Amino acid sequence: MKYVLAGASGFLGTALTRDLTAAGHQVTRLVRRTPSSPDELPWNPATGQLDPDALAGADVLVNLAGANIGLRPWTPTYRNTLRESRVSTTATLAQAAAQLDRKPVFISQSGVAGYGMDCGDRILTESTPLGDGFLADVVRVWEGAADPARAAGCRVATLRTGIVLARNAPAFQLLSLPFRLGLGARLGSGAQYFPVVSLTDWLRAVRHTAEQDTVEGPVNITLPTPTTNRAFTKALATHLHRPAVLQVPAPVLTTVLGEFAWELLGSKRALPTILQKTGFTFTHPTTHEALAAALAR
């Protein structure tokens, strides 16, 4: 199939480009500079500029663009960057898709943060209403920005992804660094559910979403066997052969990280219901298997 990919330069975009190309698909990347090769197309999501004719013949449009959530403090300016980097890219791509005669599949990254800051032990499926908090509000408008494509007849799927585990994934590198230094610790009580997924299964889930006509709407991409932060901490320490007897108290995290701390302290027991109902099977269904795969890559 022919894929057009926004956010191709990020970690997930680079991995997806490599994976799709290896599987024999054609990948065209959207770039905000002058294209330097035939597999690149120019666009400017800040101004909504994208020539629909350039997308003609595309089977799947994928948007993975968005500023890094945990990279910088959430100042008012950066909050706006976090929101607009997701909404403007999704809206620009969706509006272009809506103008095509042959409607492509439209896939946009999203996040389990949409369910709210702390959901306790409640099971979260794709039918669970979105919650409260800054990132939940971002997810609400982010997913809503795909409405022009949906209204025009595109099959639209939004990927509510947990933390992707891979050796070179920025989030996983931040999580594992203290463990490598012998300072591994559970976060807060450790009882909170901690949604993660292996890179292999995330890549497979994207292809499954693109290829299965019955997959649409929100799609949770998380382990089918939810893990707590305590269990994740123990498993990561075991795989790295490092101790993990420490605890980072919740007040310390909130003082240092502000509201972002709740993305680590809040509980999200998300289940990949749609994937499993449509025949998807996980290569790495457990925490230990996902971590082993991440550290082996």
Side-chain angles (χ1 to χ4, degrees):
M1 295 194 294
K2 180 180 179 180
Y3 284 75
V4 175
L5 179 57
S9 62
F11 172 76
L12 290 178
T14 300
L16 182 59
T17 299
R18 184 186 309 116
D19 182 72
L20 292 172
T21 302
H25 300 294
Q26 179 185 347
V27 179
T28 300
R29 296 167 293 155
L30 295 178
V31 296
R32 306 185 201 203
R33 50 172 170 75
T34 301
S36 59
S37 64
D39 63 350
E40 295 181 341
L41 288 174
W43 77 325
N44 187 345
T47 58
Q49 294 179 334
L50 175 60
D51 181 6
D53 291 340
L55 304 179
D59 298 297
V60 187
L61 307 181
V62 183
N63 181 33
L64 303 176
N68 192 301
I69 287 175
L71 186 63
R72 293 168 51 184
W74 288 3
T75 63
T77 298
Y78 198 61
R79 282 171 180 255
N80 185 64
T81 298
L82 290 173
R83 181 187 298 106
E84 289 307 308
S85 64
R86 289 161 169 77
V87 174
S88 63
T89 52
T90 304
T92 298
L93 198 57
Q95 289 161 5
Q99 298 178 54
L100 297 175
D101 293 330
R102 178 174 172 268
K103 304 303 181 187
V105 180
F106 189 97
I107 299 175
S108 178
Q109 181 69 300
S110 186
V112 292
Y115 295 115
M117 291 195 298
D118 187 6
C119 302
D121 291 339
R122 184 162 52 107
I123 292 176
L124 308 173
T125 70
E126 291 84 354
S127 61
T128 301
L130 294 176
D132 299 321
F134 169 68
L135 287 184
D137 290 341
V138 169
V139 166
R140 189 174 283 107
V141 294
W142 186 7
E143 294 185 353
D147 283 348
R150 185 181 292 108
C154 295
R155 177 167 63 87
V156 175
T158 53
L159 311 179
R160 295 179 179 171
T161 303
I163 297 173
V164 177
L165 303 180
R167 184 181 293 275
N168 295 324
F172 183 62
Q173 289 181 330
L174 287 174
L175 282 174
S176 61
L177 179 59
F179 290 81
R180 296 179 188 279
L181 298 175
L183 300 173
R186 71 180 187 272
L187 306 177
S189 70
Q192 69 272 28
Y193 282 91
F194 203 65
V196 298
V197 69
S198 74
L199 175 61
T200 296
D201 281 326
W202 183 84
L203 293 168
R204 293 180 57 248
V206 174
R207 295 199 306 271
H208 178 86
T209 299
E211 295 165 7
Q212 295 295 319
D213 292 341
T214 56
V215 180
E216 62 182 327
V219 180
N220 288 346
I221 306 185
T222 58
L223 290 181
T225 52
T227 187
T228 63
N229 178 259
R230 181 185 293 110
F232 179 84
T233 298
K234 183 178 179 180
L236 181 55
T238 297
H239 282 279
L240 291 176
H241 308 289
R242 295 289 192 275
V245 296
L246 303 175
Q247 176 194 14
V248 181
V252 172
L253 282 172
T254 55
T255 298
V256 174
L257 300 177
E259 189 178 345
F260 173 66
W262 285 103
E263 297 310 306
L264 303 174
L265 294 170
S267 182
K268 297 176 183 65
R269 192 179 182 183
L271 293 178
T273 307
I274 296 297
L275 286 177
Q276 292 187 302
K277 281 185 176 179
T278 54
F280 184 85
T281 57
F282 284 78
T283 303
H284 308 119
T286 68
T287 305
H288 279 285
E289 289 170 304
L291 282 171
L295 295 169
R297 294 179 74 92

